[in-house]
Amino acid sequence: GRGEQTIATDQDNGILYAESAGARERLLALADFTNEALASCGFPLCRGNIMARNPELTLTYAGWEEMFMRWIDRGDPEALLAASIYFDFRPLFGDILLANQLRVEVVKRAQANPRFLKQMSDNAMRNRPPAPGRLTESLFGESGGPDRVDLKMHGTVPFVDAARIWALRAGLHETNTSERYKRLAEAGQLPADDVDGWIAAFEFFQLMRLRAQHRREHAYGAIHDDNPNEVELRSLSPLDRRILNESFRQARKVQQRLELDFPG
């Protein structure tokens, strides 16, 4: 939905349709065929069943609107997990006006609910980048730090989560992370100098993820690791280690700003 897919990915999709007799049955059959076809092309089925073949994700406009509003009003752990998955939806085919209208309503309701935004912020802060001391030990040859690091969970995700929260607070409709930061800076919601560094760090993490996944695929013919986003720190070049260290510093700055904006 954000246009940030890497090589190692599964399917996340659904169907939004206008109410008509017999439409649901026909669309579920189409969804099952499409999900299986995508799997045969190398996009694995989602283990969490976040796919259009799931009847809970092939809904009318009213059905999707009700589900989004319920998540926003509840703000419990299940709702916050759903927010991190579904709030970045992007229409691909058909009458995109339905999806655009839904986005307007979702953003408006989330923007008007500071409690929900605070809950999203608290949830995002549970995932922290590596602590600077231990990371530096590993990156620069000292013992005691981690041997490997997850470039998605502890690298890109802090940027993605923060950008989503700030974009909802500002009423922005963009879903791409870099575009969200640019628009937030243009609107005076975030300092432009900080945003430049955050975008550069986020895109470096994305580049490192793609490179690591490509090397695995080239070496083994497929990405079969349990976590294709992990890299061994000692395998990185000195230049990559320095840039990675700075990128994690930027991730910590993002979270520090998020804490200031949503205190308590």
Side-chain angles (χ1 to χ4, degrees), residues 140-178:
F140 301 110
E142 301 176 30
S143 60
D147 295 326
R148 304 173 69 86
V149 67
D150 187 326
L151 296 171
K152 178 181 179 180
M153 186 58 61
H154 303 305
T156 59
V157 168
F159 292 97
V160 170
D161 286 347
R164 180 187 302 112
I165 296 163
W166 281 321
L168 288 172
R169 184 183 66 171
L172 301 180
H173 294 171
E174 281 78 12
T175 58
N176 178 267
T177 300
S178 294

Side-chain angles (χ1 to χ4, degrees), residues 43-59:
F43 296 93
L45 297 173
C46 176
R47 295 179 183 178
N49 204 24
I50 302 170
M51 296 177 291
R53 69 195 293 181
N54 178 355
E56 295 181 5
L57 301 182
T58 290
L59 300 171

